[in-house]
Amino acid sequence: MAACSVEQLLAKAEAEEAEKLNSITVKKELDLEFDIGNLLAFDKNRVEVAVFRQQKKDEFLLALARDNTQLLINEIWKQPTERVEEAIVAKLPDPVTPLPREKPPPKAKPPTKWEQFAKLKGIQKKKKTNLVWDETAKEWRRRWGYKRVNDGTKEWLIEVPETADPNEDQFAKRVKAKKERVAKNEFNRLKNIARAQKGKAPGLGLTPKAQQSKDELARAVSVAKSSTASVGRFQDRLPKEKPPKNTGKKRKFEPLIGNFSNEKQKQLELLQVMDSKKPKMDITKAVNKQMREEDREEAAAKYKKGAGKRGRKGNMPGKGKGKGGKGKGGKGRAGGGGGKGRAGGGGGGGKKRSKPGKK
Amino acid sequence: KQQSNTQKPKTKRSKRFLESRAPKLTENVKTAMIMKGGNTSQTVTQALKDIYSLKKPNAVLYKKKNITRPFEDSTSLEFFSKKSDCSLFLFGSHNKKRPNNLIFGRLFDFHVLDMIELGIEKYVSLSEIKTSKCPEGTKPMLVFAGEAFDVDNDLKRLKSLLLDFFRGPTVPAVRLAGLEHILHFTALDGKIYMRSYRCLLKKSGCRTPRIELEEIGPSFDFVMRRTHLASDDLYKLAHRQPKALKPKKKKNISHDAFGTKFGRVHMQKQDLSKLQTRKMKGLRKRKGGVDSTEDEAAAAPKQVKVES
C-alpha cells in the first residue's frame, strides 16, 4: 500500500516537472549554435518554404523567433550568476565568432635612447607624488606647473656669484639657459622619433652586413646601378662584367582610355577580318610549309646518297625567304610566328636561339 | 592627427582624444556612420533614422546628402571614416534602377573591407508599430535563422557584417532582467527578413523564464543586390589578433577524463637508504634481534593458515 502511494507520488512529481519544463522546452531537429559572448544564436534548421508561404509571414516569423529566443535564453540562464547591487547578473564568456578588427594591431615602438640606457643599468621608474610640501609658503604645492615649488622665474633676487662678470644680467642668463634646455629636449625627442622611423629595413643585401652572399651583393650592385636618372642605361661597366640580363623594352600597352579613333579603327579591322568568310591565308606559313616539304624530300634523297649535312645547308636560302615573307604576310603576329618557326626549323638540331628580351 | 608624431599633443584632452583613436590591443566599440546618397525616398530616410536609433549611441547620422556611389568610388567614405573614426557605415539611396537601397559596409584601417547592398521590399517603421520600446543602448540578442546563412558565401559575410553592426559593446556580464531586445534575421525564399522584438520574461515553473515576444519594429524585408566582398588575404589580415591577446597556456597542467588535474613534479635524485620515514616501534631491530624476527616470521604463516 505504502509502495503504491510512493510510486504514485513519484509519478506525480515527474509529471509536474515535465509540465514545468514544457513551457520552456522547444523541440528542434538540429541544435542551435550559440555564441553567448555575443548573445548570438544561429538556427540552421530548414524551414519549409511552402509552410511559410501559406501562413501569414509575420506570425510565422514571430513563432520562429519565440522558439529561438527561448533556446537562447535557456542557454544564457545556464551561465554562472552573481549578485551585483540588487541585480542578478550573468557572467558571459568571451565571444567566439571571429570578427575583423577596426585597425591593424599596434606595432611595438623601439625604445628611446634613455629607455635603452635605463634597461642596461637596471634603473626603475619611480612614481613621484604630484604635491610637495613647501616650507616657505607652508602649504602643498605642485612639483611642476602653475604655482610650483621651485619656480626659478619668480625669483626677484639672484646673487651674483663671485666668478661672474658684475655687468652680466643674471636674469637674462637664466632665461637663456632655460631656452637652451627646452631646445635640447625637443631636439632629442625628434632624434628619437627619427631613429624609430629609420627602423624600416631597405632590403636584403643593401645594408652592409658582416657576411654577404654572392647574390645579395649582385642585387645590391644592380640596385645601385639602376638608381640613376636614366635608370642605369648609360652606366659604365667593368671590363669583364656581363650586361644585365633583365633589361630590355617592356611590353607596351595602349592606355585604357586614350585614342578613341585608334581603338575604333582596330576594332573595326578585327570585325572585318572575322567577317570575311574566306580563310585568311598566311603566306609565310604556306611558303614555309612548302619549303619544309621540299627539304624533306631533298633530305630523304640525299640521305640515300649519304650526305645529311648538305640538306641542312640547303635550308639557308629558305631562311631569307621566310624573312621576306614576314613583310608580305598578314597580321604581324601570325607572320612573326611563322618566321620564327621557320628560323627555328632552319637552324636544325642543336643551335639554340637566344630568347627575345623579357617583357 | 599627429602629423607623423613630430607634434606632441599640448593638452591632456587632446592626448586622450588621440589615444582613443590610435590602434590598440582591445579595440573600442565599432561606431557606424549613417548617410544619405544623392537621392533618397521617404522610406529610406525613415529606415536610416530607425537604424540610427537602434545603434545609438555608437552611431552618427549625417543630415546632408552625399553625391557619391560607394560601389564605384569609395574615397569619400574612407575620408569620412577617418574624420569621424567610424569603421561601419550605412549608405541609403533611391533611384529608378535600385529603389530603396541600403548599403551596409565595414572598413579596416580606413579602407573598405566589405560592402553589401540590400534592397528594402517591405518596411514598417518604429513609429508605425505602437508599442513601448526598449531603452536606448540595450545590448540586443541576435538570432540568425535559415541554413542559407551557412551555405551561401554572400550570406555568410552578410551574417558576419550584421553581427558586427548590431552587436554593441562586448561586456563581461549582463543583467538578466535587462535582456529585452532581440533582433531576428531569417534567410528564406531568396529574401532576408529582419524583425525586432521586445522579449517579456514570464514565470515558468523553474528558474528559466518563459519567453513571450512582442514586435516593436522596425521590420524589414530585404533582398540582396550587389556585393563587394574583401579578398581572402585582406580578410585574413583584418582578423589577425596581436599575440598579447592570446590566452597564455599554463604548462605542465593536464586533465584526465574525470577532470582530475595532473602535473609533474621534478625532484633531484635521492638516496633511498637515508630516507626519513615513519618509525614503527615494533619493527625496530632489537639486541637478540635476528632469531626473534625469524621466529616471528615462522609463527606468522601458521597463523595465516588457521584463519584462512
Side-chain angles (χ1 to χ4, degrees):
Chain A
M1 281 286 268
C4 268
S5 62
V6 165
E7 267 180 29
Q8 273 179 3
L9 270 174
L10 280 174
K12 213 171 148 194
E14 262 188 59
E16 272 179 25
E17 276 266 355
E19 232 186 82
K20 278 187 201 172
L21 285 175
N22 219 0
S23 57
I24 60 161
T25 42
V26 173
K27 199 158 180 239
K28 288 266 185 183
E29 274 179 19
L30 277 171
D31 277 334
L32 308 196
E33 282 179 8
F34 295 105
D35 179 7
I36 305 295
N38 277 325
L39 297 181
L40 170 72
F42 182 28
D43 176 16
K44 285 196 206 181
N45 291 303
R46 285 195 86 197
V47 182
E48 294 301 319
V49 184
V51 173
F52 176 62
R53 282 190 194 151
Q54 275 175 11
Q55 296 179 330
K56 268 189 141 185
K57 289 191 180 150
D58 283 334
E59 287 172 5
F60 177 84
L61 289 173
L62 184 82
L64 180 64
R66 197 223 78 83
D67 288 340
N68 287 333
T69 320
Q70 182 72 64
L71 288 167
L72 178 58
I73 291 278
N74 290 354
E75 204 55 41
I76 294 175
W77 248 253
K78 286 184 195 162
Q79 300 299 320
T81 59
E82 56 183 24
R83 204 174 182 81
V84 173
E85 290 175 19
E86 83 207 18
I88 306 176
V89 150
K91 287 177 82 174
L92 299 176
D94 289 328
V96 166
T97 340
L99 287 170
R101 286 174 65 98
E102 258 190 322
K103 297 166 189 140
K107 291 181 197 123
K109 285 192 299 186
T112 60
K113 203 99 193 275
W114 167 253
E115 280 171 7
Q116 284 171 356
F117 179 75
K119 201 168 150 202
L120 189 67
K121 286 279 190 176
I123 301 171
Q124 238 82 14
K125 259 194 194 176
K126 284 205 184 113
K127 184 116 188 174
K128 294 184 180 150
T129 58
N130 274 346
L131 300 174
V132 185
W133 179 249
D134 190 6
E135 272 300 328
T136 49
K138 296 269 195 271
E139 62 174 5
W140 290 96
R141 285 269 169 95
R142 282 170 229 219
R143 192 186 295 275
W144 52 272
Y146 182 62
K147 283 188 190 163
R148 58 178 173 274
V149 175
N150 297 328
D151 199 348
T153 55
K154 295 279 195 287
E155 283 206 24
W156 53 270
L157 178 78
I158 306 178
E159 285 179 16
V160 178
E162 288 181 53
T163 49
D165 177 19
N167 292 333
E168 198 185 1
D169 186 359
Q170 295 296 327
F171 294 101
K173 191 169 151 196
R174 274 208 181 168
V175 165
K176 226 170 78 169
K178 170 134 185 143
K179 278 200 184 147
E180 280 176 17
R181 273 178 290 158
V182 167
K184 178 172 172 269
N185 199 3
E186 185 65 21
F187 181 65
N188 284 335
R189 187 179 75 90
L190 291 174
K191 268 212 303 198
N192 275 326
I193 291 168
R195 196 184 312 116
Q197 285 190 343
K198 257 205 287 181
K200 304 172 196 165
L204 264 185
L206 299 174
T207 44
K209 276 192 318 202
Q211 304 298 335
Q212 286 190 303
S213 67
K214 188 176 168 188
D215 40 18
E216 278 179 16
L217 282 169
R219 203 165 154 252
V221 164
S222 63
V223 167
K225 257 209 171 160
S226 51
S227 345
T228 56
S230 43
V231 204
R233 273 181 66 195
F234 304 110
Q235 288 298 99
D236 297 326
R237 255 182 276 133
L238 288 176
K240 280 199 181 170
E241 197 181 346
K242 291 184 198 160
K245 279 191 264 179
N246 295 341
T247 54
K249 204 162 179 224
K250 283 193 173 183
R251 194 170 144 200
K252 199 174 182 197
F253 289 102
E254 298 290 316
L256 271 180
I257 305 174
N259 202 344
F260 286 119
S261 57
N262 216 5
E263 193 178 330
K264 185 176 170 190
Q265 200 66 18
K266 280 201 184 147
Q267 304 276 21
L268 287 175
E269 277 178 352
L270 187 67
L271 281 174
Q272 247 186 10
V273 168
M274 282 166 50
D275 240 332
S276 63
K277 297 277 170 82
K278 65 173 177 185
K280 190 176 70 118
M281 190 165 84
D282 195 352
I283 299 175
T284 32
K285 253 191 178 167
V287 163
N288 293 337
K289 222 178 184 177
Q290 185 64 29
M291 286 197 291
R292 235 180 292 135
E293 283 294 328
E294 285 172 12
D295 287 340
R296 236 178 267 147
E297 283 168 37
E298 264 186 297
K302 290 260 165 74
Y303 182 73
K304 281 186 185 159
K305 281 194 185 170
K309 274 188 188 171
R310 253 201 263 155
R312 251 196 244 157
K313 270 195 187 159
N315 291 344
M316 291 322 221
K319 221 193 202 173
K321 267 195 213 163
K323 286 219 169 114
K326 215 187 206 173
K328 270 192 248 166
K331 291 294 169 205
R333 235 184 288 125
K340 262 189 238 157
R342 182 61 206 155
K351 201 175 180 188
K352 263 192 177 172
R353 301 277 141 181
S354 64
K355 276 191 181 165
K358 249 191 182 175
K359 282 121 201 177
Chain B
K1 245 203 217 172
Q2 273 195 314
Q3 283 187 356
S4 71
N5 271 345
T6 46
Q7 281 185 358
K8 267 202 302 201
K10 296 227 177 206
T11 54
K12 278 258 165 73
R13 187 164 173 241
S14 56
K15 190 176 170 199
R16 268 182 274 133
F17 175 82
L18 287 172
E19 273 180 12
S20 81
R21 289 206 175 184
K24 294 179 232 175
L25 281 180
T26 41
E27 298 191 309
N28 306 335
V29 187
K30 285 194 181 184
T31 45
M33 46 187 190
I34 303 179
M35 51 215 303
K36 297 194 275 193
N39 202 5
T40 51
S41 60
Q42 178 69 13
T43 331
V44 168
T45 37
Q46 193 62 43
L48 293 179
K49 275 195 202 152
D50 284 350
I51 295 184
Y52 171 62
S53 60
L54 281 181
K55 224 4 217 165
K56 267 204 234 185
N58 302 313
V60 280
L61 177 66
Y62 289 121
K63 285 190 181 168
K64 283 205 175 161
K65 294 189 182 173
N66 303 289
I67 313 207
T68 44
R69 297 191 186 143
F71 276 89
E72 286 165 33
D73 180 24
S74 45
T75 46
S76 169
L77 281 174
E78 293 173 2
F79 173 74
F80 277 125
S81 103
K82 256 188 234 176
K83 282 289 170 186
S84 62
D85 193 31
C86 292
S87 52
L88 300 165
F89 70 87
L90 175 58
F91 188 89
S93 64
H94 174 79
N95 45 27
K96 216 167 177 192
K97 192 170 177 192
R98 284 178 248 270
N100 300 329
N101 209 19
L102 288 182
I103 305 179
F104 284 88
R106 60 185 162 192
L107 304 120
F108 173 69
D109 199 18
F110 307 119
H111 293 294
V112 166
L113 186 63
D114 290 332
M115 274 194 293
I116 299 182
E117 192 171 53
L118 298 170
I120 305 175
E121 300 224 318
K122 187 173 148 260
Y123 166 59
V124 181
S125 79
L126 266 179
S127 42
E128 280 174 43
I129 304 176
K130 314 247 188 281
T131 48
S132 62
K133 317 285 177 193
C134 295
E136 207 176 85
T138 37
K139 191 169 158 84
M141 292 183 279
L142 299 161
V143 180
F144 288 86
E147 54 180 12
F149 273 125
D150 206 29
V151 168
D152 189 10
N153 257 340
D154 286 345
L155 283 176
K156 261 200 242 181
R157 279 291 175 94
L158 178 64
K159 174 170 168 257
S160 159
L161 182 57
L162 290 171
L163 172 63
D164 220 354
F165 204 91
F166 288 110
R167 71 167 171 161
T170 309
V171 285
V174 70
R175 195 173 133 252
L176 290 178
L179 290 168
E180 290 181 300
H181 192 194
I182 161 145
L183 287 168
H184 193 269
F185 298 90
T186 323
L188 200 51
D189 207 8
K191 293 195 200 162
I192 299 143
Y193 299 92
M194 171 176 158
R195 299 284 182 272
S196 161
Y197 303 104
R198 185 205 181 119
C199 106
L200 308 156
L201 308 164
K202 295 272 158 77
K203 272 196 188 162
S204 75
C206 45
R207 193 171 154 252
T208 321
R210 183 177 160 79
I211 300 291
E212 292 297 331
L213 293 181
E214 185 188 8
E215 184 159 5
I216 51 169
S219 97
F220 291 95
D221 288 2
F222 288 127
V223 68
M224 188 128 102
R225 289 182 186 153
R226 296 179 288 181
T227 60
H228 172 94
L229 304 180
S231 61
D232 279 335
D233 39 298
L234 181 58
Y235 200 61
K236 261 195 213 162
L237 185 66
H239 281 262
R240 237 192 238 171
Q241 302 290 346
K243 265 196 180 166
L245 273 184
K246 280 192 222 160
K248 278 215 170 130
K249 200 174 172 208
K250 256 192 162 178
K251 285 187 180 178
N252 200 16
I253 295 180
S254 60
H255 296 264
D256 74 342
F258 296 103
T260 324
K261 222 173 178 182
F262 284 100
R264 275 190 102 113
V265 178
H266 298 266
M267 302 245 353
Q268 292 166 330
K269 200 160 180 175
Q270 293 172 321
D271 187 8
L272 290 171
S273 59
K274 297 213 171 78
L275 262 185
Q276 179 89 303
T277 53
R278 275 214 196 131
K279 292 172 177 56
M280 309 278 189
K281 214 168 175 184
L283 297 175
R284 246 196 252 162
K285 281 194 184 148
R286 286 190 210 110
K287 281 195 185 160
V290 185
D291 291 334
S292 57
T293 47
E294 273 191 72
D295 282 344
E296 282 174 22
K302 270 195 196 160
Q303 281 181 340
V304 169
K305 234 186 178 176
V306 165
E307 279 180 48
S308 60

